[in-house]
Amino acid sequence: MRHGALGVSALCALGLGGCELPAPAAEPALEEAWIGQLAMGTLLEVVVHAPPGRGELVARELVALARELEGELSRHDPGSALSRLNGEAGRGPRPVPPVLARVIADSLAWSHVTGGSFEVSVGPLVALWTHSARRDQPPSPAELAEALESVGSRRVVVSLEAGTVALAVPGMSLDLGGIAKGWALDRMRERLVALGIDRALVSFGRSSILALGAPPGEAGWRVLLDDGVGGHAGLLTLRDAMLSVSGSFGRVSRIAGRSYGHVLDPRTGVPLTEARQAAVLAPTGAGAEALSKALLVLGESEGLKLFESLPRVEGLLLREGG
């Protein structure tokens, strides 16, 4: 039996024969297939329990789907649909592929739910702080104010019917890195269900996870939850769940002797300077991703109020040191 880097335990149930009484219906014969491939900027791991001969085919189909989505949604690929849209900011509604229109529409909805603490139009702020790190000088108040003028979901207009997206201000730039993996997991779950597969674990870098069903004989998929500082916060047993884990200090920049995390507060334009780790369980991968970023930004007090207003959502916020 293979075990990926997820702390997964998949013990098969044993059927006992020789009983005269009617035995419970036996589970169908399944095989476990595992694939690990690079996709969407990280390691994509897929574990599938499927009828013999199908598992690896299904796993490879999910990898292909992830790479297809990456080709449309990556801001790092100059030929992607997202990069082309960003390059046409301020030019009115632009035709985009349906997949890009859908993920942007979903992102705008989550921005509204989170009061702007999750925001995909942070591209100008990311560019500003990247430049500041290179010159080793934080941005001036005027530079921050100018960048913030190009940030905000109210400046993005999506028409799913027409298949267009308009970025109202020249210089606007969308960054889907905070939601794309979770959104891809939602599409993978749809694909698995359509293929008749009800037992699978899909993970992007152990931070965005889809747990569908459970391994044979188990209550769920067992996943180690990192604490963000090299240890573990606990063991989760996931079944039909979406998990997103986000940290504010996954990548750190030193600017003028001060450490800044890679997660920005879109409302102020300033990166988080406190090490935090957020884990969120939600009905959808996109929701889990957006809410884990929002929880990092909002912190305990505001984050608690937000989560109390949302059904079927659970969150954990860890500070440095646990």
Side-chain angles (χ1 to χ4, degrees):
M1 179 176 299
R2 292 182 178 177
H3 299 281
L6 301 172
V8 177
S9 175
L11 303 178
C12 297
L14 299 176
L16 300 178
C19 299
E20 295 182 1
L21 294 175
E27 293 204 42
L30 300 174
E31 68 175 12
E32 180 185 271
W34 176 88
I35 284 182
Q37 298 280 337
L38 292 177
M40 302 187 83
T42 189
L43 175 63
L44 170 60
E45 294 181 278
V46 181
V47 183
V48 174
H49 287 262
R54 291 194 62 203
E56 186 172 348
L57 293 174
V58 171
R60 292 191 180 280
E61 186 169 339
L62 295 187
V63 172
L65 175 59
R67 289 176 172 164
E68 177 185 341
L69 293 174
E70 182 179 15
E72 302 285 12
L73 308 181
S74 172
R75 70 177 178 89
H76 302 290
D77 180 356
S80 72
L82 177 61
S83 292
R84 295 194 300 271
L85 174 65
N86 285 339
E88 297 177 333
R91 300 181 186 176
R94 314 306 296 175
V96 298
V99 64
L100 181 57
R102 285 182 61 196
V103 69
I104 293 175
D106 288 350
S107 299
L108 298 183
W110 283 110
S111 178
H112 175 74
V113 168
T114 63
S117 55
F118 166 78
E119 176 60 61
V120 295
S121 65
V122 293
L125 292 171
V126 173
L128 175 61
W129 282 95
T130 299
H131 177 66
S132 294
R134 290 172 181 161
R135 69 183 183 183
D136 195 28
Q137 181 179 341
S140 67
E143 289 173 322
L144 265 180
E146 181 180 358
L148 284 168
E149 284 297 314
S150 300
V151 175
S153 294
R154 66 187 182 280
R155 298 179 173 90
V156 184
V157 180
V158 179
S159 173
L160 295 177
E161 295 77 12
T164 62
V165 177
L167 306 183
V169 180
M172 285 191 71
S173 176
L174 305 186
D175 185 341
L176 299 173
I179 197 172
K181 295 180 184 66
W183 199 84
L185 290 178
D186 291 328
R187 308 290 76 76
M188 291 180 181
R189 178 167 58 183
E190 293 172 352
R191 183 69 58 85
L192 287 166
V193 171
L195 293 171
I197 303 298
D198 58 6
R199 302 173 190 266
L201 185 72
V202 186
S203 166
F204 282 104
R206 299 177 62 187
S207 63
S208 302
I209 297 175
L210 158 64
L212 184 62
E218 294 290 319
W221 297 93
R222 296 176 186 174
V223 177
L224 281 173
L225 180 63
D226 294 337
D227 63 4
V229 291
H232 301 293
L235 180 66
L236 301 179
T237 300
L238 304 179
R239 185 182 187 119
D240 297 324
M242 294 285 195
L243 171 69
S244 174
V245 181
S246 299
S248 61
F249 265 56
R251 297 186 302 276
V252 179
S253 296
R254 294 282 296 178
I255 304 176
R258 187 177 185 185
S259 295
Y260 295 89
H262 71 285
V263 176
L264 291 155
D265 184 339
R267 302 167 301 177
T268 64
V270 178
L272 300 185
T273 56
E274 178 185 9
R276 299 173 180 170
Q277 175 117 324
V280 173
L281 289 169
T284 67
E289 288 277 298
L291 289 170
S292 68
K293 309 305 183 297
L295 184 55
L296 284 180
V297 170
L298 294 173
E300 295 98 326
S301 180
E302 289 184 275
L304 180 61
K305 292 179 182 178
L306 171 63
F307 275 54
E308 286 178 340
S309 70
L310 300 173
R312 300 172 58 200
V313 170
E314 297 179 68
L316 173 68
L317 183 66
L318 296 173
R319 293 187 180 277
E320 188 174 14

